[in-house]
Amino acid sequence: MTTIREVAKVAGVSYATVSHVLNNTRFVSQETRDRVMAAIDELDYRPNALARSLRSGKTDTIGLILPDSSNPFFAEIGRSIEDAAFELGYNVFLCNTDGNVHREQLYVDLLSKKQVDGIIFVAAGDQVDSLNALLNDEMPVVLVDRDLPNIEVDAVLTDNRQGGYLATRHLIELGHRRIACITGPSSITSGAERLTGYRQALEEEGIPYDKSLVLDGNYQPDAGLRATSILLELDSPPTAIFALNDLMAVGALHAAARAGRRVPEDVAIIGYDDTELASFMNPPLSTIAQPKNEIGLQAANILARRITNKSFPTYRIILPPELVVRESTSPDAVVVDQEVMYRSNTDGLMPNAQKEME
Ligand code: RIB
């Protein structure tokens, strides 16, 4: 393997000059730089990343710890993070925890051994031990998507409570009163906060909270399928279902079809995330959009800043969710300037139609 010394000899310069050319650490004249680059090409020299990182103390890599990159939401988040990291000069190590805190700890240990420059961290649950270990080692970390209690760390989150409120308010405005909710894993703040928004919208409208309409989910399609089948078998089934993520809403659509129920006529269904699959469902899925590209861009940039300056004050940003209305809640609904409007039978548009439910 060609070394820097051999490059220096062929170029007729010092070892230090070749190092300055490779690392841009000092001015080198264009004529000398050209000689060095010609020698690198002639000898097919490949910089030794490990040697370089030992010298600079940086590896130009970051870790990305996610629950499940096969979930379209995390796939889209992961892609926006990787795009932003690439522009910033970082490679990304992707780690899937499957929501398992022990696997999360293993990955934290592995990434520390790999000496990544920083970590973007989506918590597997509500345990703070792994994150605290990283912070105690002064590893730059940005928390994304799920908050963790009592911990001082950079974070890029979205307003899940507002998202849960918007989804439920939309169903109420359509005239629904028996609104079911399929929740996320209880140990994860994103689902708990959306459920709070659901309860707030019901309470504001004077609709009693009915526990028989709130079933546990786990953010997977089969949980949506199972819960919806149970709900539709109730003596007084809900006329609307709010699933706390799109994957469970897809399961709910499947359950409604299997039960011979029309969506939205017999049961309206709304999800959360607005992943790419939502608009291709049959009927297209109403949902709450999370700003996935913005989340990824912010997370990568905040981490890059933390890597270069560990003394910055902690930076937490909470991004707004957005209601996206499609046919799974109302075939007449369109969104005009952020307001849900409804096609009346005179082909006009009227706001906030109170539709009579049978
Ligand atoms: O779909 C996975 C869910 O878990 C998303 O809603 C995301 O916010 C995460 O919390």
Side-chain angles (χ1 to χ4, degrees):
M1 182 167 68
T2 305
T3 66
I4 287 185
R5 288 194 194 293
E6 289 165 316
V7 171
K9 190 173 178 186
V10 168
V13 299
S14 70
Y15 174 100
T17 298
V18 175
S19 175
H20 289 313
V21 169
L22 289 173
N23 297 297
N24 279 325
T25 41
R26 201 192 69 187
F27 174 76
V28 176
S29 73
Q30 191 58 49
E31 188 271 336
T32 304
R33 183 177 291 275
D34 291 347
R35 285 212 328 267
V36 170
M37 296 312 291
I40 285 173
D41 290 345
E42 181 187 332
L43 297 171
D44 191 24
Y45 168 73
R46 308 280 175 88
N48 179 319
L50 181 59
R52 191 173 58 194
S53 66
L54 287 174
R55 276 197 307 279
S56 67
K58 286 188 68 199
T59 58
D60 294 335
T61 57
I62 61 173
L64 172 56
I65 296 180
L66 292 174
D68 176 8
S69 58
S70 68
N71 177 323
F73 172 81
F74 290 118
E76 291 175 44
I77 290 279
R79 180 59 201 258
S80 65
I81 287 171
E82 203 273 332
D83 286 346
F86 178 77
E87 291 303 318
L88 291 162
Y90 290 101
N91 290 321
V92 178
F93 280 141
L94 173 62
C95 307
N96 280 285
T97 62
D98 292 332
N100 179 311
V101 290
H102 303 295
R103 189 165 164 152
E104 178 182 81
Q105 183 59 57
L106 288 173
Y107 272 131
V108 160
D109 296 343
L110 173 71
L111 292 172
S112 299
K113 288 191 182 84
K114 289 271 186 192
Q115 297 189 330
V116 296
D117 296 333
I119 294 176
I120 294 175
F121 189 96
V122 180
D126 54 5
Q127 308 289 312
V128 295
D129 301 344
S130 306
L131 187 52
N132 269 326
L134 288 171
L135 297 175
N136 293 339
D137 287 347
E138 296 195 352
M139 170 67 78
V141 175
V142 176
L143 206 55
V144 167
D145 182 64
R146 291 96 181 262
D147 204 357
L148 285 173
N150 314 316
I151 207 158
E152 187 79 10
V153 63
D154 294 336
V156 179
L157 306 168
T158 59
D159 189 343
N160 289 295
R161 186 207 53 74
Q162 176 63 6
Y165 176 85
L166 288 174
T168 311
R169 184 70 214 157
H170 167 56
L171 296 171
I172 289 170
E173 286 181 357
L174 289 169
H176 295 286
R177 291 297 176 273
R178 281 187 65 71
I179 301 172
C181 180
I182 305 172
T183 70
S186 55
S187 64
I188 292 174
T189 53
S190 59
E193 292 163 2
R194 292 168 200 170
L195 185 59
T196 300
Y198 161 81
R199 297 191 65 157
Q200 182 190 341
L202 294 180
E203 191 176 333
E204 196 179 79
E205 191 68 17
I207 299 172
Y209 178 77
D210 179 348
K211 280 196 300 189
S212 71
L213 294 180
V214 179
L215 299 188
D216 290 342
N218 61 5
Y219 284 151
Q220 297 302 326
D222 63 338
L225 175 72
R226 236 185 3 257
T228 300
S229 302
I230 293 167
L231 290 164
L232 296 180
E233 288 303 310
L234 292 175
D235 293 339
S236 172
T239 61
I241 296 174
F242 172 27
L244 296 192
N245 82 328
D246 284 355
L247 283 182
M248 293 195 296
V250 168
L253 287 171
H254 190 64
R258 278 202 329 196
R261 307 294 172 83
R262 298 165 302 162
V263 177
E265 294 78 4
D266 298 330
V267 58
I269 293 173
I270 187 166
Y272 202 110
D273 289 340
D274 195 24
T275 51
E276 281 182 30
L277 59 87
S279 58
F280 294 98
M281 297 315 296
N282 181 22
L285 181 67
S286 292
T287 183
I288 298 296
Q290 297 209 62
K292 296 176 282 297
N293 287 335
E294 180 69 11
I295 292 169
L297 193 61
Q298 291 275 5
N301 281 285
I302 293 167
L303 184 64
R305 192 178 65 179
R306 180 64 61 199
I307 289 169
T308 51
N309 184 337
K310 294 188 178 177
S311 62
F312 265 111
T314 302
Y315 184 71
R316 288 168 63 87
I317 181 170
I318 297 182
L319 299 170
E322 198 176 308
L323 171 65
V324 177
V325 180
R326 299 189 178 104
E327 286 86 333
S328 71
T329 53
S330 167
D332 308 330
V334 290
V335 179
V336 177
D337 298 335
Q338 302 299 315
E339 185 179 355
V340 181
M341 310 287 277
Y342 298 88
R343 293 185 195 86
S344 70
N345 52 19
T346 57
D347 285 339
L349 278 179
M350 53 183 174
N352 299 344
Q354 290 298 331
K355 295 193 172 251
E356 290 308 311
M357 304 306 293
E358 297 83 59

